[in-house]
Amino acid sequence: MASQNSNIPTKILVIITLISLGFNNYFLPIDAEETGKALIESTCKKTQYPEECISALESDPGCFTANLTGLTRIAVEKSASKLVETLHIVDMLVQNATSDYPTWGSLVLCRYSYNTSVPQIQEGLQAFDQLKFDKSYKSVEAVKKAVIDCDHQGVKSLTQVNTALLRLIEDTMMILHLLF
């Protein structure tokens, strides 16, 4: 009889442990990456180009462990990187321009606009770090203006890169706006 009674607490302990594990796995996130992915998706659903937003943010592994503020910082960083990448493309086109003077002139104007935008977005990142989200927003908005100004030049070889930059900038602005 004593051996049966000593088994009961062990059985109860095993049952309680199994219930506890099941409870925790049901109500608590199993993986931080799943939580991060859910935040990326729910945030990007609030943007104009959700699929492109998700793709851009998921390309940075830091997004999977970031909160909304961290996710937004990464979006601004991605915008800054895309701006510099676009500037390099424009600069290459200026240097390799043919004898078509109007196109060359338009490319020079785009290069100037993007060149002046780089320090602006860098200041926006500094403002972000100081939790001045409205100032950061304005710096990203200035980049948007530069992209629109360049796009109005009508340089066909820049249509695709300008569109990609503009979409990323617009999504970043929408995400930034969630912070204030």
Side-chain angles (χ1 to χ4, degrees):
M1 190 74 145
S3 64
Q4 274 186 339
N5 286 340
S6 64
N7 261 347
I8 292 175
T10 306
K11 289 179 183 177
I12 291 174
L13 183 62
V14 169
I15 291 171
I16 291 172
T17 302
L18 291 174
I19 290 172
S20 176
L21 288 173
F23 181 81
N24 284 341
N25 286 339
Y26 182 78
F27 289 105
L28 299 176
I30 296 170
D31 188 10
E33 187 170 317
E34 288 180 21
T35 304
K37 190 172 182 118
L39 178 62
I40 292 168
E41 289 176 4
S42 68
T43 301
C44 287
K45 282 182 183 176
K46 298 172 185 162
T47 67
Q48 194 169 353
Y49 307 100
E51 295 303 317
E52 292 173 40
C53 174
I54 290 169
S55 177
L57 292 178
E58 285 185 345
S59 71
D60 188 311
C63 285
F64 293 105
T65 56
N67 60 14
L68 180 60
T69 304
L71 200 64
T72 307
R73 174 78 160 76
I74 292 169
V76 177
E77 289 171 357
K78 289 270 183 197
S79 296
S81 294
K82 189 71 167 174
L83 171 62
V84 170
E85 177 186 313
T86 304
L87 175 59
H88 286 142
I89 291 168
V90 172
D91 194 45
M92 185 183 70
L93 289 171
V94 167
Q95 292 174 14
N96 297 323
T98 60
S99 59
D100 180 16
Y101 183 77
T103 300
W104 178 83
S106 294
L107 286 167
V108 169
L109 287 171
C110 289
R111 181 174 65 180
Y112 175 79
S113 290
Y114 290 152
N115 256 329
T116 58
S117 294
V118 170
Q120 287 177 318
I121 203 161
Q122 293 301 328
E123 289 172 11
L125 282 166
Q126 290 173 352
F128 190 95
D129 292 339
Q130 297 167 357
L131 305 179
K132 297 178 181 175
F133 303 129
D134 57 332
K135 188 173 181 183
S136 185
Y137 181 92
K138 288 177 184 171
S139 75
V140 176
E141 189 174 43
V143 175
K144 178 181 176 181
K145 183 184 178 317
V147 177
I148 291 170
D149 289 348
C150 178
D151 201 48
H152 284 149
Q153 296 301 313
V155 180
K156 301 275 188 247
S157 56
L158 290 180
T159 301
Q160 190 174 1
V161 292
N162 277 343
T163 299
L165 178 58
L166 183 62
R167 288 180 172 196
L168 180 59
I169 292 292
E170 288 177 339
D171 284 351
T172 299
M173 289 172 63
M174 290 178 163
I175 295 169
L176 256 167
H177 196 264
L178 297 173
L179 296 180
F180 58 94

mmCIF file of all heavy atoms in Angstrom, residues 40-82:
data_model
loop_
_atom_site.group_PDB
_atom_site.id
_atom_site.type_symbol
_atom_site.label_atom_id
_atom_site.label_comp_id
_atom_site.label_asym_id
_atom_site.label_seq_id
_atom_site.Cartn_x
_atom_site.Cartn_y
_atom_site.Cartn_z
ATOM 1 N N ILE A 40 6.505 43.014 -37.678
ATOM 2 C CA ILE A 40 6.830 43.532 -39.010
ATOM 3 C C ILE A 40 5.580 43.542 -39.881
ATOM 4 O O ILE A 40 5.246 44.559 -40.508
ATOM 5 C CB ILE A 40 7.945 42.698 -39.673
ATOM 6 C CG1 ILE A 40 9.282 42.890 -38.949
ATOM 7 C CG2 ILE A 40 8.087 43.047 -41.153
ATOM 8 C CD1 ILE A 40 10.354 41.891 -39.348
ATOM 9 N N GLU A 41 4.861 42.422 -39.889
ATOM 10 C CA GLU A 41 3.668 42.324 -40.731
ATOM 11 C C GLU A 41 2.568 43.286 -40.296
ATOM 12 O O GLU A 41 1.962 43.957 -41.124
ATOM 13 C CB GLU A 41 3.159 40.882 -40.751
ATOM 14 C CG GLU A 41 4.071 39.960 -41.527
ATOM 15 C CD GLU A 41 3.649 38.502 -41.474
ATOM 16 O OE1 GLU A 41 2.597 38.179 -40.899
ATOM 17 O OE2 GLU A 41 4.407 37.679 -42.024
ATOM 18 N N SER A 42 2.334 43.379 -38.994
ATOM 19 C CA SER A 42 1.267 44.277 -38.530
ATOM 20 C C SER A 42 1.634 45.746 -38.760
ATOM 21 O O SER A 42 0.773 46.560 -39.066
ATOM 22 C CB SER A 42 0.944 44.026 -37.052
ATOM 23 O OG SER A 42 2.009 44.423 -36.220
ATOM 24 N N THR A 43 2.916 46.072 -38.648
ATOM 25 C CA THR A 43 3.368 47.440 -38.893
ATOM 26 C C THR A 43 3.287 47.758 -40.378
ATOM 27 O O THR A 43 2.773 48.813 -40.767
ATOM 28 C CB THR A 43 4.808 47.631 -38.381
ATOM 29 O OG1 THR A 43 4.844 47.334 -36.983
ATOM 30 C CG2 THR A 43 5.296 49.049 -38.604
ATOM 31 N N CYS A 44 3.778 46.853 -41.199
ATOM 32 C CA CYS A 44 3.808 47.095 -42.642
ATOM 33 C C CYS A 44 2.407 47.119 -43.262
ATOM 34 O O CYS A 44 2.204 47.751 -44.306
ATOM 35 C CB CYS A 44 4.692 46.068 -43.339
ATOM 36 S SG CYS A 44 6.464 46.344 -43.045
ATOM 37 N N LYS A 45 1.445 46.469 -42.624
ATOM 38 C CA LYS A 45 0.067 46.526 -43.123
ATOM 39 C C LYS A 45 -0.482 47.952 -43.064
ATOM 40 O O LYS A 45 -1.440 48.273 -43.759
ATOM 41 C CB LYS A 45 -0.838 45.591 -42.328
ATOM 42 C CG LYS A 45 -0.706 44.149 -42.725
ATOM 43 C CD LYS A 45 -1.660 43.274 -41.943
ATOM 44 C CE LYS A 45 -1.464 41.814 -42.301
ATOM 45 N NZ LYS A 45 -2.316 40.936 -41.501
ATOM 46 N N LYS A 46 0.130 48.786 -42.246
ATOM 47 C CA LYS A 46 -0.316 50.174 -42.097
ATOM 48 C C LYS A 46 0.374 51.108 -43.085
ATOM 49 O O LYS A 46 0.181 52.310 -43.022
ATOM 50 C CB LYS A 46 -0.055 50.643 -40.662
ATOM 51 C CG LYS A 46 -0.822 49.834 -39.633
ATOM 52 C CD LYS A 46 -0.406 50.165 -38.227
ATOM 53 C CE LYS A 46 -1.119 49.221 -37.259
ATOM 54 N NZ LYS A 46 -0.483 49.176 -35.965
ATOM 55 N N THR A 47 1.190 50.547 -43.977
ATOM 56 C CA THR A 47 1.903 51.364 -44.954
ATOM 57 C C THR A 47 1.235 51.280 -46.309
ATOM 58 O O THR A 47 0.339 50.463 -46.526
ATOM 59 C CB THR A 47 3.377 50.919 -45.078
ATOM 60 O OG1 THR A 47 3.420 49.603 -45.643
ATOM 61 C CG2 THR A 47 4.092 50.955 -43.729
ATOM 62 N N GLN A 48 1.730 52.083 -47.229
ATOM 63 C CA GLN A 48 1.151 52.113 -48.565
ATOM 64 C C GLN A 48 1.578 50.908 -49.413
ATOM 65 O O GLN A 48 0.848 50.461 -50.283
ATOM 66 C CB GLN A 48 1.556 53.420 -49.262
ATOM 67 C CG GLN A 48 0.772 53.720 -50.495
ATOM 68 C CD GLN A 48 1.021 55.135 -50.993
ATOM 69 O OE1 GLN A 48 1.674 55.936 -50.342
ATOM 70 N NE2 GLN A 48 0.477 55.436 -52.154
ATOM 71 N N TYR A 49 2.777 50.398 -49.136
ATOM 72 C CA TYR A 49 3.315 49.278 -49.913
ATOM 73 C C TYR A 49 3.729 48.148 -48.960
ATOM 74 O O TYR A 49 4.913 47.921 -48.724
ATOM 75 C CB TYR A 49 4.519 49.741 -50.747
ATOM 76 C CG TYR A 49 4.199 50.946 -51.588
ATOM 77 C CD1 TYR A 49 4.586 52.224 -51.182
ATOM 78 C CD2 TYR A 49 3.473 50.825 -52.770
ATOM 79 C CE1 TYR A 49 4.274 53.339 -51.936
ATOM 80 C CE2 TYR A 49 3.155 51.938 -53.540
ATOM 81 C CZ TYR A 49 3.559 53.200 -53.109
ATOM 82 O OH TYR A 49 3.244 54.291 -53.858
ATOM 83 N N PRO A 50 2.758 47.447 -48.394
ATOM 84 C CA PRO A 50 3.055 46.473 -47.341
ATOM 85 C C PRO A 50 4.024 45.362 -47.735
ATOM 86 O O PRO A 50 4.905 45.004 -46.951
ATOM 87 C CB PRO A 50 1.698 45.898 -46.955
ATOM 88 C CG PRO A 50 0.700 46.485 -47.861
ATOM 89 C CD PRO A 50 1.337 47.545 -48.672
ATOM 90 N N GLU A 51 3.886 44.818 -48.926
ATOM 91 C CA GLU A 51 4.768 43.716 -49.336
ATOM 92 C C GLU A 51 6.216 44.185 -49.445
ATOM 93 O O GLU A 51 7.137 43.480 -49.018
ATOM 94 C CB GLU A 51 4.291 43.093 -50.656
ATOM 95 C CG GLU A 51 2.944 42.410 -50.559
ATOM 96 C CD GLU A 51 2.888 41.318 -49.498
ATOM 97 O OE1 GLU A 51 3.849 40.535 -49.394
ATOM 98 O OE2 GLU A 51 1.884 41.257 -48.768
ATOM 99 N N GLU A 52 6.409 45.367 -50.018
ATOM 100 C CA GLU A 52 7.763 45.905 -50.141
ATOM 101 C C GLU A 52 8.326 46.262 -48.771
ATOM 102 O O GLU A 52 9.518 46.070 -48.503
ATOM 103 C CB GLU A 52 7.767 47.120 -51.063
ATOM 104 C CG GLU A 52 7.465 46.739 -52.502
ATOM 105 C CD GLU A 52 7.290 47.924 -53.421
ATOM 106 O OE1 GLU A 52 8.049 48.911 -53.287
ATOM 107 O OE2 GLU A 52 6.400 47.864 -54.291
ATOM 108 N N CYS A 53 7.477 46.755 -47.893
ATOM 109 C CA CYS A 53 7.880 47.082 -46.531
ATOM 110 C C CYS A 53 8.344 45.829 -45.803
ATOM 111 O O CYS A 53 9.424 45.807 -45.182
ATOM 112 C CB CYS A 53 6.704 47.737 -45.801
ATOM 113 S SG CYS A 53 6.981 48.059 -44.044
ATOM 114 N N ILE A 54 7.557 44.780 -45.887
ATOM 115 C CA ILE A 54 7.902 43.512 -45.225
ATOM 116 C C ILE A 54 9.225 42.991 -45.772
ATOM 117 O O ILE A 54 10.115 42.596 -45.010
ATOM 118 C CB ILE A 54 6.773 42.474 -45.406
ATOM 119 C CG1 ILE A 54 5.549 42.873 -44.584
ATOM 120 C CG2 ILE A 54 7.250 41.076 -45.028
ATOM 121 C CD1 ILE A 54 4.285 42.070 -44.891
ATOM 122 N N SER A 55 9.382 43.005 -47.073
ATOM 123 C CA SER A 55 10.606 42.516 -47.696
ATOM 124 C C SER A 55 11.824 43.312 -47.225
ATOM 125 O O SER A 55 12.864 42.734 -46.889
ATOM 126 C CB SER A 55 10.472 42.602 -49.218
ATOM 127 O OG SER A 55 11.664 42.211 -49.843
ATOM 128 N N ALA A 56 11.695 44.625 -47.180
ATOM 129 C CA ALA A 56 12.817 45.476 -46.754
ATOM 130 C C ALA A 56 13.184 45.219 -45.298
ATOM 131 O O ALA A 56 14.361 45.062 -44.965
ATOM 132 C CB ALA A 56 12.464 46.949 -46.961
ATOM 133 N N LEU A 57 12.189 45.155 -44.433
ATOM 134 C CA LEU A 57 12.485 44.983 -43.018
ATOM 135 C C LEU A 57 12.966 43.567 -42.699
ATOM 136 O O LEU A 57 13.866 43.387 -41.880
ATOM 137 C CB LEU A 57 11.269 45.349 -42.167
ATOM 138 C CG LEU A 57 10.906 46.834 -42.168
ATOM 139 C CD1 LEU A 57 9.655 47.083 -41.346
ATOM 140 C CD2 LEU A 57 12.058 47.687 -41.681
ATOM 141 N N GLU A 58 12.390 42.571 -43.344
ATOM 142 C CA GLU A 58 12.817 41.196 -43.075
ATOM 143 C C GLU A 58 14.240 40.928 -43.560
ATOM 144 O O GLU A 58 14.860 39.955 -43.143
ATOM 145 C CB GLU A 58 11.851 40.188 -43.689
ATOM 146 C CG GLU A 58 10.563 40.064 -42.908
ATOM 147 C CD GLU A 58 9.636 38.981 -43.436
ATOM 148 O OE1 GLU A 58 9.840 38.496 -44.582
ATOM 149 O OE2 GLU A 58 8.700 38.626 -42.713
ATOM 150 N N SER A 59 14.761 41.801 -44.414
ATOM 151 C CA SER A 59 16.140 41.619 -44.880
ATOM 152 C C SER A 59 17.155 42.004 -43.806
ATOM 153 O O SER A 59 18.340 41.744 -43.955
ATOM 154 C CB SER A 59 16.383 42.429 -46.156
ATOM 155 O OG SER A 59 16.411 43.815 -45.867
ATOM 156 N N ASP A 60 16.679 42.629 -42.730
ATOM 157 C CA ASP A 60 17.558 42.988 -41.608
ATOM 158 C C ASP A 60 17.228 42.086 -40.426
ATOM 159 O O ASP A 60 16.141 42.165 -39.860
ATOM 160 C CB ASP A 60 17.350 44.450 -41.220
ATOM 161 C CG ASP A 60 18.356 44.936 -40.205
ATOM 162 O OD1 ASP A 60 18.556 44.248 -39.175
ATOM 163 O OD2 ASP A 60 18.937 46.006 -40.422
ATOM 164 N N PRO A 61 18.162 41.235 -40.006
ATOM 165 C CA PRO A 61 17.871 40.300 -38.912
ATOM 166 C C PRO A 61 17.534 40.998 -37.595
ATOM 167 O O PRO A 61 16.840 40.423 -36.757
ATOM 168 C CB PRO A 61 19.149 39.469 -38.776
ATOM 169 C CG PRO A 61 20.136 40.013 -39.732
ATOM 170 C CD PRO A 61 19.483 41.058 -40.563
ATOM 171 N N GLY A 62 17.964 42.230 -37.418
ATOM 172 C CA GLY A 62 17.654 42.965 -36.191
ATOM 173 C C GLY A 62 16.170 43.247 -36.021
ATOM 174 O O GLY A 62 15.694 43.461 -34.903
ATOM 175 N N CYS A 63 15.437 43.230 -37.121
ATOM 176 C CA CYS A 63 13.996 43.500 -37.054
ATOM 177 C C CYS A 63 13.234 42.420 -36.303
ATOM 178 O O CYS A 63 12.174 42.684 -35.743
ATOM 179 C CB CYS A 63 13.420 43.644 -38.464
ATOM 180 S SG CYS A 63 13.854 45.206 -39.240
ATOM 181 N N PHE A 64 13.760 41.222 -36.286
ATOM 182 C CA PHE A 64 13.037 40.107 -35.673
ATOM 183 C C PHE A 64 13.036 40.171 -34.151
ATOM 184 O O PHE A 64 12.245 39.489 -33.504
ATOM 185 C CB PHE A 64 13.593 38.769 -36.166
ATOM 186 C CG PHE A 64 13.327 38.544 -37.627
ATOM 187 C CD1 PHE A 64 14.348 38.674 -38.555
ATOM 188 C CD2 PHE A 64 12.053 38.247 -38.080
ATOM 189 C CE1 PHE A 64 14.100 38.484 -39.906
ATOM 190 C CE2 PHE A 64 11.796 38.055 -39.422
ATOM 191 C CZ PHE A 64 12.827 38.179 -40.338
ATOM 192 N N THR A 65 13.914 40.984 -33.586
ATOM 193 C CA THR A 65 13.953 41.126 -32.124
ATOM 194 C C THR A 65 13.647 42.551 -31.688
ATOM 195 O O THR A 65 13.741 42.866 -30.504
ATOM 196 C CB THR A 65 15.334 40.704 -31.571
ATOM 197 O OG1 THR A 65 16.349 41.489 -32.219
ATOM 198 C CG2 THR A 65 15.586 39.224 -31.814
ATOM 199 N N ALA A 66 13.297 43.408 -32.626
ATOM 200 C CA ALA A 66 13.069 44.822 -32.324
ATOM 201 C C ALA A 66 11.624 45.086 -31.901
ATOM 202 O O ALA A 66 10.705 44.389 -32.317
ATOM 203 C CB ALA A 66 13.399 45.676 -33.545
ATOM 204 N N ASN A 67 11.457 46.120 -31.082
ATOM 205 C CA ASN A 67 10.124 46.632 -30.795
ATOM 206 C C ASN A 67 9.784 47.647 -31.887
ATOM 207 O O ASN A 67 10.557 47.820 -32.840
ATOM 208 C CB ASN A 67 10.066 47.241 -29.384
ATOM 209 C CG ASN A 67 11.034 48.403 -29.215
ATOM 210 O OD1 ASN A 67 11.573 48.943 -30.177
ATOM 211 N ND2 ASN A 67 11.266 48.793 -27.980
ATOM 212 N N LEU A 68 8.656 48.337 -31.779
ATOM 213 C CA LEU A 68 8.242 49.274 -32.821
ATOM 214 C C LEU A 68 9.271 50.386 -33.019
ATOM 215 O O LEU A 68 9.584 50.758 -34.147
ATOM 216 C CB LEU A 68 6.866 49.878 -32.505
ATOM 217 C CG LEU A 68 6.339 50.878 -33.536
ATOM 218 C CD1 LEU A 68 6.203 50.228 -34.915
ATOM 219 C CD2 LEU A 68 5.005 51.456 -33.091
ATOM 220 N N THR A 69 9.837 50.893 -31.941
ATOM 221 C CA THR A 69 10.836 51.958 -32.058
ATOM 222 C C THR A 69 12.069 51.442 -32.802
ATOM 223 O O THR A 69 12.582 52.114 -33.706
ATOM 224 C CB THR A 69 11.227 52.493 -30.666
ATOM 225 O OG1 THR A 69 10.032 52.933 -30.008
ATOM 226 C CG2 THR A 69 12.184 53.648 -30.757
ATOM 227 N N GLY A 70 12.535 50.265 -32.439
ATOM 228 C CA GLY A 70 13.691 49.683 -33.110
ATOM 229 C C GLY A 70 13.415 49.384 -34.573
ATOM 230 O O GLY A 70 14.267 49.610 -35.443
ATOM 231 N N LEU A 71 12.225 48.902 -34.845
ATOM 232 C CA LEU A 71 11.813 48.616 -36.212
ATOM 233 C C LEU A 71 11.803 49.900 -37.045
ATOM 234 O O LEU A 71 12.266 49.915 -38.190
ATOM 235 C CB LEU A 71 10.413 47.999 -36.182
ATOM 236 C CG LEU A 71 9.934 47.200 -37.363
ATOM 237 C CD1 LEU A 71 10.775 45.951 -37.550
ATOM 238 C CD2 LEU A 71 8.479 46.802 -37.149
ATOM 239 N N THR A 72 11.323 50.970 -36.450
ATOM 240 C CA THR A 72 11.267 52.253 -37.143
ATOM 241 C C THR A 72 12.675 52.774 -37.423
ATOM 242 O O THR A 72 12.951 53.289 -38.507
ATOM 243 C CB THR A 72 10.471 53.280 -36.316
ATOM 244 O OG1 THR A 72 9.200 52.719 -35.993
ATOM 245 C CG2 THR A 72 10.271 54.568 -37.069
ATOM 246 N N ARG A 73 13.565 52.629 -36.463
ATOM 247 C CA ARG A 73 14.965 53.062 -36.636
ATOM 248 C C ARG A 73 15.583 52.318 -37.805
ATOM 249 O O ARG A 73 16.274 52.904 -38.641
ATOM 250 C CB ARG A 73 15.762 52.800 -35.346
ATOM 251 C CG ARG A 73 17.276 53.071 -35.453
ATOM 252 C CD ARG A 73 17.547 54.557 -35.379
ATOM 253 N NE ARG A 73 18.863 54.978 -35.026
ATOM 254 C CZ ARG A 73 19.942 54.976 -35.801
ATOM 255 N NH1 ARG A 73 19.881 54.467 -37.007
ATOM 256 N NH2 ARG A 73 21.084 55.481 -35.382
ATOM 257 N N ILE A 74 15.324 51.029 -37.888
ATOM 258 C CA ILE A 74 15.858 50.225 -38.986
ATOM 259 C C ILE A 74 15.266 50.684 -40.325
ATOM 260 O O ILE A 74 15.977 50.750 -41.338
ATOM 261 C CB ILE A 74 15.610 48.720 -38.732
ATOM 262 C CG1 ILE A 74 16.461 48.262 -37.535
ATOM 263 C CG2 ILE A 74 15.908 47.891 -39.975
ATOM 264 C CD1 ILE A 74 16.129 46.884 -36.991
ATOM 265 N N ALA A 75 13.994 51.052 -40.340
ATOM 266 C CA ALA A 75 13.370 51.553 -41.575
ATOM 267 C C ALA A 75 14.040 52.846 -42.034
ATOM 268 O O ALA A 75 14.289 53.036 -43.235
ATOM 269 C CB ALA A 75 11.871 51.767 -41.366
ATOM 270 N N VAL A 76 14.353 53.734 -41.090
ATOM 271 C CA VAL A 76 15.039 54.980 -41.445
ATOM 272 C C VAL A 76 16.447 54.663 -41.961
ATOM 273 O O VAL A 76 16.895 55.248 -42.954
ATOM 274 C CB VAL A 76 15.081 55.968 -40.256
ATOM 275 C CG1 VAL A 76 15.859 57.235 -40.625
ATOM 276 C CG2 VAL A 76 13.667 56.346 -39.804
ATOM 277 N N GLU A 77 17.130 53.727 -41.314
ATOM 278 C CA GLU A 77 18.462 53.313 -41.782
ATOM 279 C C GLU A 77 18.390 52.737 -43.190
ATOM 280 O O GLU A 77 19.247 53.023 -44.035
ATOM 281 C CB GLU A 77 19.050 52.254 -40.843
ATOM 282 C CG GLU A 77 19.473 52.774 -39.498
ATOM 283 C CD GLU A 77 19.855 51.655 -38.527
ATOM 284 O OE1 GLU A 77 19.741 50.462 -38.890
ATOM 285 O OE2 GLU A 77 20.261 51.988 -37.404
ATOM 286 N N LYS A 78 17.388 51.903 -43.441
ATOM 287 C CA LYS A 78 17.207 51.321 -44.769
ATOM 288 C C LYS A 78 16.973 52.420 -45.811
ATOM 289 O O LYS A 78 17.483 52.349 -46.929
ATOM 290 C CB LYS A 78 16.023 50.352 -44.787
ATOM 291 C CG LYS A 78 16.255 49.075 -44.042
ATOM 292 C CD LYS A 78 16.825 48.070 -44.980
ATOM 293 C CE LYS A 78 17.005 46.735 -44.283
ATOM 294 N NZ LYS A 78 17.910 45.894 -45.060
ATOM 295 N N SER A 79 16.203 53.436 -45.433
ATOM 296 C CA SER A 79 15.954 54.560 -46.342
ATOM 297 C C SER A 79 17.241 55.318 -46.637
ATOM 298 O O SER A 79 17.496 55.705 -47.784
ATOM 299 C CB SER A 79 14.914 55.504 -45.734
ATOM 300 O OG SER A 79 13.677 54.848 -45.608
ATOM 301 N N ALA A 80 18.040 55.525 -45.609
ATOM 302 C CA ALA A 80 19.318 56.216 -45.796
ATOM 303 C C ALA A 80 20.233 55.413 -46.716
ATOM 304 O O ALA A 80 20.874 55.976 -47.621
ATOM 305 C CB ALA A 80 19.991 56.459 -44.444
ATOM 306 N N SER A 81 20.283 54.110 -46.515
ATOM 307 C CA SER A 81 21.120 53.247 -47.367
ATOM 308 C C SER A 81 20.638 53.264 -48.814
ATOM 309 O O SER A 81 21.437 53.329 -49.746
ATOM 310 C CB SER A 81 21.102 51.808 -46.848
ATOM 311 O OG SER A 81 21.720 51.734 -45.606
ATOM 312 N N LYS A 82 19.324 53.202 -48.987
ATOM 313 C CA LYS A 82 18.751 53.217 -50.338
ATOM 314 C C LYS A 82 19.022 54.554 -51.017
ATOM 315 O O LYS A 82 19.274 54.599 -52.225
ATOM 316 C CB LYS A 82 17.244 52.932 -50.272
ATOM 317 C CG LYS A 82 16.609 52.711 -51.607
ATOM 318 C CD LYS A 82 17.033 51.396 -52.184
ATOM 319 C CE LYS A 82 16.175 51.012 -53.370
ATOM 320 N NZ LYS A 82 16.690 49.810 -54.011
#
